[in-house]
Amino acid sequence: MTHKEAQQQLADEMVEVLRGSHDAPLHWNESKLHLMEVVRYVFISEMLKDEMGIPLSQSVIAQRVFGLFGVSLPRNISGYLLRLNNIKG
């Protein structure tokens, strides 16, 4: 599986969870930076859209994903995204 395929699979699975395909409470055991990376994959996939068919912003997706896991949302989302860009090169 390529890196891009893995990103898409992760985005697909997170979208399913966000749409309610889970039974038990969810827990996140990794860093907020890793969770923000999942947010970015979902954003890039453009699978989550508003009622007008417009893809959701990274900020809205982050609110939903972090809330799903009961993790406090970072105040500076753009700072986390900048760190991801620097790490990824």
Side-chain angles (χ1 to χ4, degrees):
M1 177 180 291
T2 68
H3 185 69
K4 186 136 183 114
E5 290 169 338
Q7 289 176 351
Q8 185 60 50
Q9 182 177 356
L10 185 56
D12 292 344
E13 291 175 6
M14 181 56 71
V15 168
E16 284 184 39
V17 170
L18 285 168
R19 290 182 176 155
S21 67
H22 64 283
D23 298 334
L26 301 174
H27 302 282
W28 185 257
N29 296 324
E30 295 293 328
S31 70
K32 288 183 180 183
L33 187 62
H34 286 113
L35 192 54
M36 190 58 73
E37 189 171 19
V38 174
V39 168
R40 182 169 45 181
Y41 296 158
V42 172
F43 173 73
I44 290 168
S45 76
E46 295 186 347
M47 292 174 17
L48 291 178
K49 299 181 181 187
D50 66 13
E51 59 278 347
M52 299 179 78
I54 299 170
L56 296 179
S57 69
Q58 287 185 94
S59 177
V60 170
I61 294 169
Q63 290 171 5
R64 292 184 182 185
V65 170
F66 277 72
L68 179 70
F69 290 101
V71 176
S72 62
L73 188 65
R75 284 189 225 159
N76 186 2
I77 292 173
S78 60
Y80 273 76
L81 294 171
L82 182 60
R83 283 178 59 196
L84 281 174
N85 287 337
N86 289 338
I87 291 169
K88 300 296 178 184

